[in-house]
Amino acid sequence: MNKTEAAYAERLRQLEATGAILWHRFEGIKLRLADNTFYTPDFAVLAADGVMELHEVKGRWMDDARVKIKVAAGLYPMRFLAVRVNLKRDGGGWAVEEF
């Protein structure tokens, strides 16, 4: 787990403690996208509404990662979120994009 993922894991622990989410696991799910092509999201998260979410945490997006999350979102009936840390000068926190 890199520093950005570790910071996000702490955020998820806080959300779980308050009941905003029910469960989370780092690299807890591996999805098959095609023959010999897999996608392992950074975090599997069970939202309070019972929906399984897959969170991809990035400091910076590379094209292949964006393609994989879009393909996975089209194949699997789960909520896919891309999470990026906001710079302190921009107010900090997390920017979230849903696919």
Side-chain angles (χ1 to χ4, degrees):
M1 194 179 304
N2 65 39
K3 287 169 67 173
T4 304
E5 292 165 343
Y8 192 69
E10 179 56 34
R11 173 73 178 135
L12 291 175
R13 281 190 286 279
Q14 293 169 0
L15 292 172
E16 192 171 342
T18 65
I21 66 171
L22 303 176
W23 171 88
H24 73 282
R25 178 80 44 163
F26 179 69
E27 294 184 347
I29 293 178
K30 181 177 183 178
L31 303 174
R32 178 185 297 272
L33 302 182
D35 290 342
N36 299 316
T37 305
F38 296 89
Y39 169 57
T40 303
D42 292 323
F43 293 93
V45 177
L46 184 59
D49 63 3
V51 173
M52 180 59 69
E53 298 180 346
L54 301 174
H55 295 203
E56 186 67 33
V57 179
K58 295 289 184 201
R60 189 179 76 221
W61 275 96
M62 302 301 236
D63 289 339
D64 63 329
R66 188 169 281 282
V67 168
K68 280 188 173 183
I69 195 171
K70 285 182 179 181
V71 170
L75 292 174
Y76 292 93
M78 297 171 216
R79 189 178 298 148
F80 287 82
L81 303 174
V83 181
R84 181 180 51 79
V85 66
N86 282 329
L87 299 175
K88 288 183 183 180
R89 72 171 190 230
D90 296 331
W94 301 95
V96 178
E97 177 184 1
E98 187 169 345
F99 289 88

